[in-house]
Amino acid sequence: MNNLSRRQIIKYLSLMSASVVSRQTWGSPPDTRHETPTPPASITAEDNDLGGNFSYIYHRDELREQFYHFLVNVFHLYPEQELHKLIQSVATSYSADKAIYQQLQQNLGNIKPFLSELTFALPALAKQKETMREQTCSLLDTNRRYEGYLEIGSTGRYLDTLEESLDIVGERFFIAEQLPSYSLADMLDRGQIIEAGHSIPLADYSPALASTIPKQSLDLVTVYIGLHHCPPSLREQFIGSIRDAMKPGAYLVVRDHDAHNEDMQAMVGLAHDVFNMGTNESWDYNNKELRHFYSLAFLDDWLSRSGFKSNGEKLYQHGDPTRNALMLYQKV
């Protein structure tokens, strides 16, 4: 738990006392040869007749080794060597993403340590929050006050950590697929028991912002999940509604992947697949998830045409092969 500060440990333990936790360095990638999994009964020949992200990455030595560092430095919800070895073994035995995805989920219990929520999930969450705080604060003026805050993609995951360094006051809004709850997972995610602010359903990227957030009322908007899940037909409408809610000169913090070629499209796609697989989302959920990846050059052009100006910086997370860059834009 070396990624958790004393303050964070105390906070997480106090939250966990409200419920009961149920069981559930850089280095060279481990040897991933030889072991063959037992086929699950639910997989048919038809399910396994096409390739996908798993095969694309894990059948290419260089890309496979790069993805291992995603498991170590970003995902880190399971022992990375065991998970890497399991993925390689299953991807060798099956072709289609559906077959590999379902087989992996049936075998995750074999590599999941007891109380892995404490030894893997919480440190991974703390590391991501701290990385986002450090990078965000390096782009923003930490000596000024930000009145009005909107976080897109979660119900308050990053606000608590940002407030350690930024003076954020006024109304706080959150747009996410799911509304917040008082489940242990949600409380740990947002870092507090009570809800962090006003929650707005994402509504398939058609949120009712105009009736919830006053126009020109926000100083700071963060989108740490990127904008690549937004359907192309709704891009202008969605970013326009965000821009309308921002004050003149307000800041937009965006983190997104530079999926500029086929290799990066597969790398980023597999990162999404593994995240969903490892957090127990169904194959149907993963298969239906909207992913409209693009290059950062495309994103910059889109935001520039939508009334935003970039400061020109791109901050990447150390050891992340998905080239997920944090960027700062200002409403002009």
Side-chain angles (χ1 to χ4, degrees):
M1 296 174 66
N2 58 346
N3 289 322
L4 290 174
S5 67
R6 181 177 180 274
R7 173 181 173 276
Q8 289 168 325
I9 292 173
I10 293 172
K11 179 171 65 177
Y12 288 140
L13 289 177
S14 67
L15 287 172
M16 291 174 65
S17 67
S19 186
V20 178
V21 178
S22 62
R23 289 195 63 175
Q24 334 196 324
T25 87
W26 279 86
S28 298
D31 184 359
T32 55
R33 297 171 294 179
H34 302 312
E35 294 190 11
T36 302
T38 302
S42 60
I43 293 178
T44 66
E46 183 179 357
D47 294 330
N48 200 36
D49 61 0
L50 295 173
N53 296 326
F54 284 98
S55 294
Y56 189 100
I57 298 298
Y58 271 80
H59 289 179
R60 291 166 170 80
D61 292 346
E62 182 178 355
L63 296 179
R64 183 174 67 246
E65 292 179 7
Q66 290 177 21
F67 191 78
Y68 173 69
H69 296 301
F70 170 81
L71 302 180
V72 174
N73 296 292
V74 183
F75 185 60
H76 199 60
L77 297 186
Y78 299 87
E80 56 270 6
Q81 291 195 10
E82 287 86 345
L83 179 56
H84 184 68
K85 184 176 181 180
L86 178 63
I87 296 174
Q88 170 66 3
S89 178
V90 176
T92 300
S93 301
Y94 299 93
S95 300
D97 276 359
K98 178 180 180 180
I100 296 170
Y101 189 100
Q102 292 179 334
Q103 172 69 347
L104 286 172
Q105 283 193 326
Q106 293 195 23
N107 284 273
L108 280 178
N110 297 331
I111 65 170
K112 184 178 181 182
F114 176 60
L115 291 182
S116 63
E117 291 82 359
L118 287 175
T119 56
F120 285 90
L122 287 183
L125 176 61
K127 176 182 177 181
Q128 285 304 105
K129 287 185 175 184
E130 183 61 18
T131 299
M132 294 304 96
R133 183 195 67 80
E134 289 179 353
Q135 291 188 345
T136 300
C137 290
S138 72
L139 295 175
L140 290 170
D141 181 359
T142 58
N143 294 315
R144 61 156 289 180
R145 172 169 292 182
Y146 298 89
E147 184 173 1
Y149 174 81
L150 169 62
E151 185 170 305
I152 299 172
S154 80
T155 56
R157 175 179 301 162
Y158 298 103
L159 175 62
D160 182 57
T161 306
L162 287 177
E163 287 184 312
E164 295 177 10
S165 302
L166 295 177
D167 185 11
I168 299 175
V169 300
E171 298 293 328
R172 293 97 185 278
F173 300 93
F174 306 94
I175 300 177
E177 287 185 351
Q178 302 294 329
L179 293 178
S181 72
Y182 290 95
S183 69
L184 177 62
D186 274 10
M187 289 189 292
L188 291 174
D189 188 63
R190 63 180 176 257
Q192 60 186 53
I193 294 176
I194 63 173
E195 295 182 15
H198 305 284
S199 295
I200 304 169
L202 184 59
D204 297 323
Y205 285 86
S206 297
L209 293 191
S211 61
T212 308
I213 304 178
K215 286 190 174 183
Q216 299 189 9
S217 64
L218 303 175
D219 266 335
L220 180 60
V221 178
T222 60
V223 195
Y224 293 110
I225 66 164
L227 295 167
H228 53 263
H229 295 295
C230 183
S233 61
L234 296 178
R235 282 175 179 161
E236 300 303 325
Q237 172 186 322
F238 182 69
I239 200 64
S241 66
I242 302 302
R243 184 190 61 239
D244 290 345
M246 298 172 65
K247 300 176 183 179
Y251 291 98
L252 172 67
V253 176
V254 181
R255 189 172 190 243
D256 220 329
H257 306 277
D258 190 11
H260 60 279
N261 59 27
E262 187 177 8
D263 285 356
M264 286 306 303
Q265 293 265 343
M267 183 72 69
V268 174
L270 183 58
H272 283 67
D273 293 333
V274 168
F275 180 85
N276 289 338
M277 180 276 298
T279 54
N280 205 34
E281 296 288 359
S282 69
W283 165 254
D284 285 342
Y285 173 92
N286 183 70
N287 193 43
K288 293 176 182 177
E289 185 177 65
L290 297 179
R291 302 174 185 176
H292 302 284
F293 302 131
Y294 38 63
S295 68
L296 293 185
F298 172 88
L299 176 63
D300 185 69
D301 179 67
W302 168 29
L303 292 179
S304 296
R305 288 185 287 102
S306 300
F308 295 92
K309 181 180 179 180
S310 170
N311 78 339
E313 292 189 68
K314 293 179 176 59
L315 303 181
Y316 297 92
Q317 183 171 345
H318 177 69
D320 181 7
T322 69
R323 293 186 58 78
N324 213 359
L326 192 75
M327 298 157 289
L328 181 66
Y329 287 81
Q330 189 171 20
K331 178 179 175 179
V332 296

